[in-house]
Amino acid sequence: MRNPLNRSLWREFKQNLARYLAIMVVMVLMISVVSGFLSVVYSSKDLLYKNQDECNVENGQFAVTQTLNKDTKDKIEDLNLSLYENFYSEQDVNDDTMVRVYKTRKNVNIQSIYEGRLPNKENEIALDRLFAEKNNYKIGDAIKLNKKNIKIVGTIAVPDYTSLIEKNSDLMMDAIHFGVAIVNQDTFDNFKKDNVTYNYSYVLDEKDVNDKQNYDKLNDIRDICTENGYMLTNMMTAEMNQCISFLPNDMGGDIPMIETLFYIILVILAFIFVVISETIIEDQSTVIGTLLASGYTKNELTRHYMALPIIITFLSAVIGNIAGYTLLPTYFTNLYYGSYCLPPLEVKFIPSAFISTTIVPLIFMIVINYLMLSRKLKMAPIRFLRRDTHKNKVRKHINLKRGSFFRRFQIRVILQNKGSYFTLFVGIIFASFIFVFGLIMQPTIDKYMEITKDSVKTEYQYVLKAPVELKKSQRAEKLTFTSLETYYEPANMNLDISFYGLENDSKYYGDVSLPKDKDEVTISYDFAQKMGLKKGDTVTFTNTYTEKDYKFKVYDIYDYRAGFSAYLTRENLNKILKEDKNYYNGYLSNKKLDIDEEYIQSKITKNDVAKIGEQMTESFGQMIPIMTSVSIIIYLVVMYILTKLVIDRNSGNMSFLKVMGYDDKEIKKLYLNATTIVVLVSLIVSAPLSYFTMDRLMKFAFMRFAGYIEIYMPYYLYALVLVLGLLVYSIVSFIINKTIQRIDLGESLKDTE
């Protein structure tokens, strides 16, 4: 026999159609967004690891100043690994754009064709797909390298450049100014010999090797090279190589953050259902009392009142997943493929994503609603019949003596509906957080770039492979430069720290306090903030090439915000490196120096800083529209539902007030203005609270980011949160005002004892 209680479910749904549809809209929206995001991320992650395996991605690489002879190669391969030539030539497209050109790979880091074909003739080239897109190169176009036009015949993806990072110490990918390309042997041979980097990649015979074992193997390679008279200019494992490791690390950080935001919304929606159910129970208390007295059990009634939230959640999950797998993957694929270099993606059904977007929401709704309803329905039938549905304990009466009648009445409304208002408060806080999350990134990046540009002291900084004297007509300041690593425990990674050995009377760094003791060091502000260091702390640095450790005491913190750096006198740094006191390997200058490219290891200009900001804006800008849209919808739904619930709960009292002669305007002032107070307080609190939460969250999100970015929230954003919230509330207030006008005078005469 069918349960007759089920007949009331459809009636309840129709009577409060706007309320339930609003909740469904939020749930469908969130489930579809999270489902689409997770399906793309997990599918991309599977594709990434599959591509690395099939294309035989390297375990590590090293570069030397000349090609290795056969004897040295044999000794290295005796370490149970395969060694491959992976030479490249860096060719300028224009003043600020460069392409790293490789020969067609056949054994290691094998390229995947995205579109077109591989070059098989002289003066043909295949560009990385992302670089080609960012610079509007099409198949059939020509790109000018080495003052020669080369025809583009295809676009590719290579497993050792899933992130286009020019230098491993760079903070961000830069697909606009840096690209990777493949040419055939003849074209490669045409490039200048002095511009070729003799880079070697190795693949270990044993697959299940941890990072420490791989690093030890790399050190063994280093030892063999140095013993045979070769000088290394670069060495790193795949884990150390940001071009390979940045993407999997970034994917790992996105998933828990998005899921956490999703679960917070679910909890808020679950508690909204709780408030709705409590309102229904209070409204139908006499019916519940009659049913309990007639033989219905508390469990039967609990299941009945749980049915509608569960049905709505289930339908939302079904619709959301369908939309997530059909409509949104294109958006999120473009989001990922706009920053990373991967082969073509096929979005798959992901069981773990289905659990997160369907099973978990149902469990949330079942558990939270069951706990509330089972507690609420424990009361005796007689109490339901008397409409005494509050807790057993006697509430302490708050005596309100001061203020006008209207003010005291509003306070009483807030106290009587504190559960609904608390949920409203939390909902507004969370919606504000999402809104701030969507809008704060652009001013944060702009502020970061402004501070960074101010921190860069010279127009040009040269690091040399060996000391080179300048022409007499050129003026520059000498420095000693080296790079050491330090362990960053929270992210379980090593950070590259640039060490500057400066003159005591440095023209460019005259404001930095240089320690006299060679065991002390001044560190940059970014480095201190990232590591949580202060004056007097001790830091250990490691030279990856020699495995020698250096311990320094923090002498001072220098307000430099363009990266992780440390400062000593040139004399002290030379002593640490066991070099002559007059040794140098770099120049600082405000003018471009005439130095043969053969002797330059790296060159940093102020324009390089602008490139970082350009790429960061490109990466984060696509998230702003979706985050802003979601926050506005949550604002509308939370404010409408909970404000409407307060009105519904007090409709009988409003009817009494109408009988007593109060008009709609006065009733609105008593009830709706009480809600306005709660909304206003919530909005005022939400902006600084969102900033505080965002600051902590972004530190976690950027934990594996090789830099330090401080969240910056300009004052206009605080005002914008308040204005947007009030604008949304004014729409809700207009709708609720119409509801108050429709309350019947006879409502007060119903269900009276």
Side-chain angles (χ1 to χ4, degrees), residues 221-346:
I221 295 172
R222 176 203 63 203
D223 294 340
I224 292 172
C225 289
T226 53
E227 286 168 5
N228 286 269
Y230 292 96
M231 186 174 75
L232 276 75
T233 58
N234 178 51
M235 55 177 273
M236 54 187 169
T237 63
E239 179 60 31
M240 295 162 61
N241 186 351
Q242 284 207 87
C243 294
I244 296 174
S245 63
F246 191 96
L247 175 54
N249 290 336
D250 182 55
M251 283 179 169
D254 287 343
I255 294 170
M257 186 169 69
I258 294 296
E259 287 184 336
T260 300
L261 294 175
F262 176 57
Y263 295 148
I264 291 172
I265 294 178
L266 283 179
V267 171
I268 292 172
L269 293 177
F271 276 103
I272 288 176
F273 271 125
V274 165
V275 175
I276 291 172
S277 298
E278 284 184 336
T279 304
I280 294 171
I281 288 172
E282 289 176 10
D283 186 53
Q284 299 179 0
S285 61
T286 54
V287 176
I288 293 170
T290 303
L291 291 171
L292 288 170
S294 302
Y296 277 89
T297 65
K298 293 182 179 66
N299 285 335
E300 286 176 319
L301 292 178
T302 300
R303 288 195 298 271
H304 168 71
Y305 285 106
M306 285 175 62
L308 204 51
I310 292 172
I311 291 170
I312 290 172
T313 303
F314 177 75
L315 290 175
S316 301
V318 171
I319 298 169
N321 274 287
I322 292 171
Y325 276 95
T326 56
L327 302 178
L328 289 173
T330 302
Y331 174 82
F332 287 113
T333 299
N334 291 338
L335 196 65
Y336 257 91
Y337 276 60
S339 299
Y340 299 110
C341 313
L342 288 167
L345 176 68
E346 180 184 347

Side-chain angles (χ1 to χ4, degrees), residues 513-532:
S513 299
L514 298 175
K516 295 180 180 179
D517 193 331
K518 71 173 185 177
D519 294 328
E520 292 183 329
V521 67
T522 294
I523 62 175
S524 66
Y525 174 86
D526 279 6
F527 179 41
Q529 291 296 312
K530 185 81 171 183
M531 297 287 292

Side-chain angles (χ1 to χ4, degrees), residues 402-411 657 660 662 670:
R402 295 183 180 181
S404 65
F405 168 75
F406 280 96
R407 179 61 62 201
R408 284 179 286 148
F409 198 103
Q410 289 165 357
I411 294 172
L657 289 173
M660 294 168 64
Y662 285 86
L670 288 170

Side-chain angles (χ1 to χ4, degrees), residues 413 416-417 645-655 671:
V413 170
Q416 288 174 347
N417 297 276
L645 280 172
V646 172
I647 301 302
D648 290 346
R649 269 184 164 179
N650 294 277
S651 60
N653 295 335
M654 292 180 189
S655 181
Y671 283 93

Side-chain angles (χ1 to χ4, degrees), residues 30-32 34-36 38 262-263 313 317 321 325 352-362:
M30 290 308 304
I31 290 172
S32 61
V34 175
S35 176
L38 292 180
F262 176 57
Y263 295 148
T313 303
N321 274 287
Y325 276 95
S352 57
F354 178 76
I355 291 171
S356 296
T357 57
T358 305
I359 306 301
V360 172
L362 284 170

Side-chain angles (χ1 to χ4, degrees), residues 104-123:
T104 304
R105 286 112 169 254
K106 297 178 181 178
N107 299 306
V108 68
N109 300 327
I110 302 167
Q111 62 281 323
S112 301
I113 300 172
Y114 201 92
E115 190 178 1
R117 62 174 175 84
L118 291 177
N120 52 32
K121 298 177 184 177
E122 193 172 345
N123 294 327

